[in-house]
Amino acid sequence: MSNGQGQPRARIEPTITQVAEVAGVSIGTVSNVLNSPDKVAPATRERVLEAIGRVGFIRNGNARSLASGTVHTISLVVPDITNSVFVDMSRGAQSASGKLGLSLLIASAESDPAVQDRYLDVFAEARSRGILLAPMSDSRAGIQRVRDHGRRVVIMNYDAPDLDVCTVLMNNYAGGRMAADHVIELGYRRLLFVGASDELQPVRDRRCGIRDVAREAGISFDEMDVQDLRREGEGLRVGTAIAERWSPGDEPLAVLIVTDTLAEGALNAILAKREIRVPEDIALMGLDGNKMSWDTPIAMTTLELPGFAMGAEAVRLLIAESELDHVHERVVLPVALHARESTLGRRAQS
Amino acid sequence: MSNGQGQPRARIEPTITQVAEVAGVSIGTVSNVLNSPDKVAPATRERVLEAIGRVGFIRNGNARSLASGTVHTISLVVPDITNSVFVDMSRGAQSASGKLGLSLLIASAESDPAVQDRYLDVFAEARSRGILLAPMSDSRAGIQRVRDHGRRVVIMNYDAPDLDVCTVLMNNYAGGRMAADHVIELGYRRLLFVGASDELQPVRDRRCGIRDVAREAGISFDEMDVQDLRREGEGLRVGTAIAERWSPGDEPLAVLIVTDTLAEGALNAILAKREIRVPEDIALMGLDGNKMSWDTPIAMTTLELPGFAMGAEAVRLLIAESELDHVHERVVLPVALHARESTLGRRAQS
DNA sequence: ATGAAAGCGCTAACAC
DNA sequence: GTGTTAGCGCTTTCAT
């Protein structure tokens, strides 16, 4: 699959051999100035460096890692870089791996399991030092495959106790409780949870947290699920449905919505009905702190997820993985509440 | 617990040779079932595939690209994944490269030129098919270096007419004009531009656009620059300074702020002074459509930047780069205005 | 301090 | 169809 035409090949890449020739040394020496400069006499070192500059040499990383058997990259696969929690994970992982002199390569699966698997393969084939994976819904197949092949993997944001890997999680159950506590404290006596399939662990856990609090408080608890969290306009539909059910004089309602994106649509739809006051009649909040979907006329209450810490922690676990006596860990990080106008109203905000 | 055998070492990676042995064929045949399955008899193909599964073989991408001289990845280096415009570029590039069967590897420089350069090196050494670079401020050195080494590069968001590369830009000047037009149409007669060093092209261009409109309209135009766009709390300081200068009865002021992050802080600071009404007394808007910083109690007007299209376009140009008769292009994409409450107030919004 | 040479795991000719 | 073999560009002993 070279180029069909004659010789218009991109320009030939200078190799270590050419550098050696130009500098009048052996390739071993060139390799040494690259990797252990102190093993080389200052004079020759200069000469080689100069030659490197002259020919415009860039060492071939593929050859290098093939020969040496080492790679200096960690890779991260996230489902969707459009959700700020994954951006935070990237930053956390970036920061941690940078400190170790490793480079972090990021891939976004764009919400497509096939793309996710492709990247897992790419990174496995690249013999990346390890893979940080925040899997899409249930991808045990993919995880297991990578795992089987002896690659180091740390799973983020998905609990797989049976999978023989390190995992880094956030406490979604506690987050659910926190959210419910928040609106109950504000005086709401009717809760509605908008979720999706419980196959998605974060959905299930947040739901449970809220449900438990509602039960303990003896408060009305309703649920409403969407088919597809990513479908365009789903939030608007949810909001419209809620608005239609509502009539003046109803007991105030607090709606806890599993993702901020969904909540954004819902809030916008509800605000469109001018006769409903937010939050006096209906309070809303999101539950996944996704800044990327805060495009609402009034600020939305949400949870703050520990993405950055999770990324950093994942790198730590990945490195720990290479210790002989390593035993897999399951780290759970806390979430926090970020109260804003959609539940608080115009009172002083936290 | 993973290693059943005695050796505590990370388990040895199965190679094509082992697969060949297990399957009872030659390595050439294994290579063929991997790369040109149709060149292989169905029966043997099955046998090889089965062997691959049995030994858990994953081909070594480094050896592969070393031998074949091809790589199937494109790489993208952005200054800061925390700005949604770069996320959009990633998505655009991802989408376009996916269609070509190429994988996109993303690196964020975390606002550090040294990190940026490190990634440029990593990708150059990886012999990535090409590099998409949205450079930090002025990194001609880095660009030039990569360029010199004969790598394919497309520059995004930085105009380098003298640099012999393809570039993909957005029309920041028009964006500035749009913003100024918007607030003038709303009736404001005093403009304040909050910017930073004109070394940053987007800052300079947006400033020029606004200044030109103000001059043409014969309207009061003021400027205020921050030292460091990324410094924590800079937006708050700006907002506080503006609020302090303001006194009741002043002619209404429209503040156009070069980044949404800065604008976010400024807006929050101004709202903290309860006696100033937004937007009646002071209207504000950001100019870089950064969703990640829309954490304000009232929705902020801003520009909508064509990140996605830029990413897609960049990939197209990168591919075009390998054509024999390629001549470098400079593509400029339009921006749009997204009017919200911080300038419109509570009237119907666009 | 430097050079020579044996691979690293794979692809791609080419032979059979 | 399948096997053989010569590299790809580099690292890494091991001599010198």
Side-chain angles (χ1 to χ4, degrees), chain B residues 260 263-264 267 284-286 294 296 298-302 340 342:
Chain B
D260 282 29
E264 173 191 36
L267 178 52
L284 289 92
M285 66 176 290
W294 288 358
T296 50
I298 72 177
M300 204 165 51
T301 297
T302 187
R340 304 201 290 158
S342 71

Side-chain angles (χ1 to χ4, degrees), chain A residues 78-84 86-87 107-111 134 230 290, chain B residues 91:
Chain A
V78 297
D80 174 14
I81 208 179
T82 258
N83 188 319
S84 64
F86 296 122
V87 171
S108 166
E110 302 294 309
S111 305
R230 327 204 144 270
N290 182 3
Chain B
R91 294 194 312 120

Side-chain angles (χ1 to χ4, degrees), chain B residues 4-18:
Chain B
Q5 318 301 344
Q7 292 296 78
R9 199 68 211 112
R11 122 188 176 185
I12 205 84
E13 314 252 1
T15 72
I16 209 178
T17 310
Q18 305 192 20

Side-chain angles (χ1 to χ4, degrees), chain A residues 1-53:
Chain A
M1 208 168 316
S2 51
N3 57 347
Q5 311 306 323
Q7 297 296 0
R9 188 86 196 143
R11 100 186 193 196
I12 206 85
E13 315 251 359
T15 72
I16 209 179
T17 310
Q18 305 193 20
V19 174
E21 279 168 10
V22 171
V25 297
S26 77
I27 66 167
T29 301
V30 176
S31 176
N32 273 336
V33 358
L34 256 23
N35 302 309
S36 351
D38 37 302
K39 283 193 199 280
V40 139
T44 23
R45 194 192 309 150
E46 279 318 306
R47 209 143 37 88
V48 171
L49 256 16
E50 203 264 346
I52 287 180

